Amino acid sequence: MTKNDIKTSELFDLGKTIAEPLLKRYEYPWEALGGIKEFIEFIGGALSPDDYNMIGDNIWIHKSVAIPPSVCLSGPMIICSNTEVRHGAFFRGNVIIGEGAVAGNSCEFKNSIIFDNAQIPHFNYIGDSIIGFKSHMGASSITSNLKSDKSLVKVHLGNEDIDTGIKKFGAMVGDFVEVGCGSILNPGTIIGKHSNIYPLSSVRGCVKSNSIYKSKDEIVEKNNY
């Protein structure tokens, strides 16, 4: 893989998120994490009151979305049309949930962008991360967004380490990715489009698009599988 493979435009179809104007500003997607709050507050005020309800402090929920009484909402945040929000979901602020997505039971979201039609359905933690169009996080798979020594996160790309200057950075998960149940995406993980992650994996670094990740020592191309 090269730096070109982990650029925003390579990982995501930006037409599949309301956050397109934010993401288009940055060559690499993690650079957008620090701007999510400001972007939500800016774009939220332009959302039509015919389509969105404003609830509390900078929380915009599309009128097609039902919010169960057990859900916890903290702004700023936007939930777009036809998203399914399930019982016990916990939104901690700075969150964008795209159209037709699933925000599942007992899932926690913080400072993240969830693209249209992405599914985070069961017992997941998504923090300081971006989950691409039609990607799916298996039950209990999580993004780990803080290193144990609290140092700044680096992206491990082959033999090169890319300094991000960010302390909290979970994972950039490209479009059409399947993450297996119980997997951990370690800080700074990047997964290319159309890749599959085996259940119970601990993923670190970059996974090339169209790959099957079995372990850190066994990553195969789908076309050769």
Side-chain angles (χ1 to χ4, degrees):
M1 292 183 70
T2 67
K3 284 186 177 180
N4 187 64
D5 296 316
I6 60 174
K7 289 182 177 180
T8 305
S9 57
E10 291 296 318
L11 291 169
F12 305 108
D13 178 352
L14 297 184
K16 303 297 185 181
T17 175
I18 197 173
E20 179 180 10
L22 172 65
L23 292 169
K24 284 178 71 173
R25 300 176 197 167
Y26 300 102
E27 185 174 19
Y28 299 104
W30 62 82
E31 297 172 326
L33 294 175
I36 295 175
K37 179 179 185 295
E38 182 181 3
F39 176 77
I40 293 173
E41 292 173 346
F42 174 78
I43 197 175
L47 294 174
S48 171
D50 293 333
D51 298 324
Y52 284 84
N53 293 317
M54 185 177 180
I55 303 171
D57 186 17
N58 293 323
I59 298 173
W60 290 272
I61 309 294
H62 195 275
K63 292 182 178 181
S64 63
V65 178
I67 303 294
S70 58
V71 169
C72 180
L73 303 172
S74 296
M77 63 175 293
I78 297 172
I79 299 181
C80 297
S81 64
N82 300 311
T83 283
E84 181 180 355
V85 178
R86 297 175 179 170
H87 285 280
F90 179 22
F91 300 93
R92 288 175 50 196
N94 306 338
V95 174
I96 297 172
I97 307 291
E99 296 180 4
V102 174
N105 63 290
S106 306
C107 294
E108 181 176 345
F109 302 85
K110 175 251 182 186
N111 197 54
S112 294
I113 298 170
I114 312 302
F115 272 59
D116 299 349
N117 298 110
Q119 296 184 335
I120 296 92
H122 316 285
F123 310 107
N124 307 105
Y125 173 70
I126 306 297
D128 302 281
S129 298
I130 300 175
I131 309 298
F133 176 65
K134 286 194 174 181
S135 285
H136 173 259
M137 299 288 291
S140 299
S141 59
I142 66 169
T143 61
S144 175
N145 64 334
L146 180 65
K147 296 175 65 175
S148 59
D149 63 2
K150 310 300 189 295
S151 62
L152 301 180
V153 175
K154 296 181 179 181
V155 173
H156 303 297
L157 180 62
N159 296 322
E160 180 182 6
D161 284 342
I162 302 172
D163 292 318
T164 67
I166 303 173
K167 185 176 180 180
K168 291 190 175 182
F169 170 4
M172 303 290 112
V173 178
D175 298 340
F176 300 102
V177 169
E178 289 284 340
V179 178
C181 296
S183 294
I184 298 174
L185 308 184
N186 288 282
T189 294
I190 299 177
I191 301 175
K193 290 180 177 181
H194 298 280
S195 289
N196 291 62
I197 307 299
Y198 264 31
L200 301 178
S201 296
S202 177
V203 186
R204 189 183 309 276
C206 300
V207 178
K208 190 176 181 180
S209 62
N210 294 295
S211 295
I212 298 175
Y213 183 101
K214 300 181 179 182
S215 70
K216 64 182 181 65
D217 299 317
E218 191 175 6
I219 304 172
V220 300
E221 293 186 19
K222 279 188 174 181
N223 292 340
N224 297 329
Y225 184 69

